[in-house]
Amino acid sequence: MNIGKITKVSGPLIEAEGLTDANIYDVVEVSKDKLIGEIIEMRGDVASIQVYEETTGIGPGDEVRSTGRPLSVELGPGMLERMYDGIQRPLEKLEMLAGNFLEKGVTAPALDREKLWDFEPLAKVGDDVVAGDILGTVEETTVITHKVMVPYGISGKLKDIKAGEFTVADTIAVVETEDGDKEINMIQYWPVRQGRPIKEKIDPNEPLITGQRVIDTFFPVAKGGTAAIPGPFGSGKTVVQHQIAKYADADIVIYVGCGERGNEMTDVLNEFPELVDPKTGESIMKRTVLIANTSNMPVAAREASIYTGITLAEYYRDMGYNVAMMADSTSRWAEALREMSGRLEEMPGDEGYPAYLASRVADFYERAGKVRVLGNREDIGTLSVIGAVSPPGGDMSEPVTQATLRIVKVFWGLDYDLSYQRHFPAINWLNSYSLYQDKMDKFIDGNVDEEFSTMRKRAMSLLQQESGLLEVVRLVGRDALSDDDKLKLNVTKSIREDYLQQNAFHDVDTYCSLAKQDKMLGIILYNYDKCLEALSKGVEIKQIEGLDVNESISRLKLISEDNKERFDEIRSEIDSAISKLIKEA
């Protein structure tokens, strides 16, 4: 083990000399407390090290030991339902060891070494196996079956495989390779900064259904896609991410709280165990991993937490699962990069961020995708990445937002004015976009309703026209508009308030399936067509605005998914109300 001496301490950054055999990104143990650090720069035998723990009390002359290994995570059964910090230390275990506050040097293995797992072999002795092949399965939770795979770099003939109860560290199989026999247990180690290998990437063609109408209808994200949610403070980024984490039709959710306030992670911790997954009827935590690196935790660990989260996500993707990763927020991660860059005295780029900010952001988002996984199997896994961005003062031109928008294909632009009006989710329909839209239209038209994309385009066109009409109203008043334009304002108000607006805290409205979205939008536009017909037959706009059926339309969102008859009843109400007006005219 290579040993050096500290020569300089600057907050979370220290310098040590004498580390002649160390490499960049090697993990080191700092001082007698064995604080975990990572080498981020080498100049001769002088290493600059970012320390993932509080460095108070460390000084020049203290020892630094290089482990010779990059920062890695432990992958295996037992990660679901757990809460880790940014470098995959289990926070429940740390609390048992050190109390409510993190203490220096306290650590615990990421995977429980005591728990017994019931391993069921799928491979047989004599099989030729390669990296990625499934040796057997373990029931990790009641809803997720953990597939134990051959680790990367091992291939050969399966010499032995056992069935029964084992800890993650027990040998379950032996593979005869060219370099001799290799014993395999249920733990895999993987360096977090290196993407896990795949056979090939595939073009994503299926939407990640979130249950949020403004997203699924107007700005869908694909399974294996990337999305960004930029918005100013208080515009609802975190609630949108919570909603997607709760209700998206992903098999596994990895939620990374990176540098956000501690009370937001507390909300996640309190809410998620009580939430019932609509697909399985079990707690959502049964398919969730939480990584908490709040704003009062060491700044350097923020940078690691993003990579830890995406490595865990890639591991489950390699099993063939659909994985969704939430990063809240990448701005705090970028701020950690900026702080470390400043302490390294690197040349600053825009607003003090390092010159390599854009490439780091790109490296992170490029690890998303729909992929054909390794091994003698045709399984396809997806990893969708949704990152919140917190631009100071809502300034979308700042470097982190711009670097993110150059990479991601979906932009959900949160609007402070909408949030001030209590319109949530506060996603602005005029400046948001999805580059997956055409492919998602084909999927939804083929699986839900062949008219869905036509209705969506029509609704979006009406919303865009509303913007111009409202400008006219502000200048000369509503009375200057024609009856057709007044009706247009009525229908766009209905689209905004009865369709796009969604209450995350209402039992029924919190989640809306694609089938219900189709029915709701269909009724709003059907009502508009009928009203246009009435106008053309001489009915006055005031009479149309005073119809009782408008009240029923405003309550569409509160109809439960099972009550399909109610949607048909509202259509009948519209027909009879408009027919009556036309007769009277």
Side-chain angles (χ1 to χ4, degrees):
M1 189 180 273
N2 197 3
I3 299 176
K5 297 278 186 191
I6 293 176
T7 55
K8 175 186 170 185
V9 180
S10 173
L13 181 78
I14 64 171
E15 280 187 5
E17 61 183 15
L19 295 168
T20 48
D21 298 331
N23 297 308
I24 196 160
Y25 293 138
D26 277 1
V27 170
V28 296
E29 293 173 350
V30 179
S31 82
K32 63 182 187 302
D33 293 327
K34 294 190 174 179
L35 307 186
I36 299 169
E38 183 184 26
I39 296 174
I40 54 173
E41 187 179 76
M42 292 289 296
R43 293 181 186 174
D45 70 341
V46 177
S48 296
I49 299 161
Q50 61 178 1
V51 183
Y52 293 125
E53 300 183 58
E54 182 58 54
T55 55
T56 309
I58 292 173
D62 286 352
E63 282 189 350
V64 173
R65 292 170 179 266
S66 170
T67 62
R69 299 190 313 270
L71 182 65
S72 302
V73 288
E74 291 182 355
L75 304 167
M79 295 189 296
L80 294 177
E81 299 186 87
R82 301 294 290 277
M83 184 176 190
Y84 294 109
D85 75 349
I87 49 175
Q88 212 203 6
R89 294 182 299 178
L91 290 175
E92 311 98 272
K93 281 282 173 69
L94 297 190
E95 184 187 17
M96 287 163 57
L97 292 169
N100 290 336
F101 294 94
L102 287 175
E103 285 189 10
K104 288 195 293 186
V106 176
T107 189
L111 299 178
D112 191 335
R113 298 295 197 271
E114 310 292 321
K115 183 168 181 176
L116 291 170
W117 297 95
D118 190 8
F119 176 72
E120 288 184 25
L122 293 180
K124 301 183 294 296
V125 172
D127 286 353
D128 287 319
V129 295
V130 296
D133 281 348
I134 295 170
L135 293 171
T137 61
V138 160
E139 190 179 287
E140 185 168 1
T141 69
T142 49
V143 298
I144 295 295
T145 299
H146 191 105
K147 300 168 187 175
V148 179
M149 299 173 287
V150 177
Y152 187 64
I154 293 179
S155 62
K157 195 175 285 293
L158 194 58
K159 191 174 179 182
D160 183 29
I161 188 163
K162 303 171 186 174
E165 293 196 332
F166 303 96
T167 67
V168 288
D170 291 338
T171 299
I172 54 163
V174 178
V175 177
E176 192 180 316
T177 72
E178 293 175 354
D179 302 325
D181 290 354
K182 300 276 186 187
E183 294 186 345
I184 295 176
N185 57 26
M186 290 190 249
I187 305 176
Q188 289 191 24
Y189 295 92
W190 194 264
V192 297
R193 294 180 189 279
Q194 183 181 332
R196 285 176 63 86
I198 55 170
K199 271 187 198 164
E200 63 170 326
K201 272 199 173 182
I202 307 167
D203 208 18
N205 58 359
E206 186 181 338
L208 180 73
I209 307 301
T210 65
Q212 309 306 299
R213 289 184 290 268
V214 65
I215 292 173
D216 293 342
T217 301
F218 292 109
F219 312 110
V221 62
K223 280 183 181 172
T226 52
I229 319 177
F233 174 77
S235 57
K237 290 184 296 297
T238 301
V239 173
V240 171
Q241 285 216 322
H242 286 194
Q243 287 296 96
I244 297 170
K246 290 174 197 171
Y247 298 115
D249 66 335
D251 301 313
I252 308 281
V253 171
I254 312 289
Y255 190 96
V256 182
C258 171
E260 288 299 308
R261 293 172 293 284
N263 58 347
E264 290 183 359
M265 282 311 292
T266 308
D267 284 346
V268 174
L269 266 180
N270 291 336
E271 281 179 26
F272 276 34
E274 293 174 9
L275 284 166
V276 174
D277 187 339
K279 286 182 293 184
T280 62
E282 298 274 357
S283 165
I284 276 177
M285 280 303 290
K286 299 278 185 195
R287 59 180 180 90
T288 304
V289 184
L290 298 176
I291 296 174
N293 211 95
T294 53
S295 50
N296 60 335
M297 285 173 152
V299 69
R302 277 186 214 173
E303 203 239 347
S305 61
I306 290 284
Y307 294 110
T308 299
I310 202 155
T311 306
L312 266 58
E314 285 177 333
Y315 177 65
Y316 283 106
R317 175 209 66 194
D318 290 349
M319 294 181 200
Y321 286 121
N322 295 313
V323 186
M325 177 185 164
M326 317 291 148
D328 186 16
S329 99
T330 53
S331 291
R332 306 286 169 258
W333 167 59
E335 284 167 13
L337 280 178
R338 177 167 65 183
E339 179 168 337
M340 298 313 295
S341 172
R343 290 181 188 277
L344 284 167
E345 299 173 9
E346 293 173 339
M347 182 71 76
D350 286 353
E351 295 189 20
Y353 288 103
Y356 47 79
L357 171 69
S359 62
R360 289 284 175 90
V361 171
D363 287 346
F364 167 62
Y365 281 104
E366 286 297 333
R367 289 171 74 170
K370 181 176 183 178
V371 305
R372 208 177 298 283
V373 300
L374 289 183
N376 295 314
R377 53 193 177 115
E378 289 303 306
D379 289 358
I380 288 172
T382 66
L383 169 51
S384 315
V385 176
I386 296 161
V389 187
S390 311
D395 175 17
M396 298 293 179
S397 64
E398 61 90 40
V400 183
T401 308
Q402 287 302 307
T404 304
L405 293 184
R406 279 197 289 272
I407 297 300
V408 300
K409 292 198 168 182
V410 180
F411 167 57
W412 298 321
L414 293 172
D415 191 315
Y416 183 75
D417 290 340
L418 284 175
S419 64
Y420 187 74
Q421 295 162 21
R422 295 292 179 265
H423 177 110
F424 292 107
I427 294 172
N428 188 313
W429 49 87
L430 295 177
N431 60 18
S432 300
Y433 60 80
S434 169
L435 300 182
Y436 300 113
Q437 189 73 69
D438 291 344
K439 288 177 196 159
M440 300 307 106
D441 279 350
K442 281 181 191 169
F443 180 90
I444 296 171
D445 286 355
N447 290 274
V448 179
D449 177 4
E450 60 185 18
E451 293 295 317
F452 190 85
S453 63
T454 308
M455 291 194 300
R456 176 194 64 76
K457 288 170 186 168
R458 191 175 173 207
M460 181 53 75
S461 172
L462 286 166
L463 288 168
Q464 287 166 342
Q465 290 173 51
E466 179 198 38
S467 178
L469 290 173
L470 287 176
E471 199 62 41
V472 173
V473 170
R474 273 193 289 272
L475 289 171
V476 292
R478 194 169 187 273
D479 293 340
L481 296 179
S482 67
D483 283 355
D484 280 5
D485 285 344
K486 285 177 185 173
L487 185 59
K488 208 170 276 180
L489 286 181
N490 286 345
V491 71
T492 51
K493 182 172 184 279
S494 181
I495 293 170
R496 282 189 288 107
E497 295 180 2
D498 307 332
Y499 190 78
L500 296 181
Q501 212 167 341
Q502 195 165 350
N503 187 348
F505 302 101
H506 189 280
D507 291 345
V508 174
D509 198 30
T510 185
Y511 174 83
C512 187
S513 68
L514 271 182
K516 184 177 173 184
Q517 292 178 40
D518 177 51
K519 285 188 170 66
M520 288 175 67
L521 193 56
I523 284 175
I524 291 169
L525 294 175
Y526 181 73
N527 181 52
Y528 177 54
D529 288 336
K530 284 293 189 180
C531 292
L532 277 174
E533 184 188 332
L535 275 183
S536 67
K537 298 279 176 65
V539 177
E540 291 186 7
I541 188 74
K542 285 180 184 175
Q543 292 175 284
I544 292 171
E545 289 173 346
L547 288 174
D548 293 339
V549 75
N550 294 333
E551 181 67 23
S552 300
I553 293 170
S554 71
R555 295 181 174 276
L556 280 172
K557 61 175 81 169
L558 305 181
I559 302 171
S560 71
E561 301 272 343
D562 308 326
N563 192 1
K564 292 172 184 168
E565 298 79 19
R566 182 62 188 135
F567 292 103
D568 296 331
E569 286 171 12
I570 293 174
R571 276 185 182 258
S572 301
E573 285 176 32
I574 293 168
D575 284 339
S576 57
I578 296 295
S579 299
K580 187 180 175 188
L581 284 181
I582 291 172
K583 278 180 188 173
E584 290 171 357

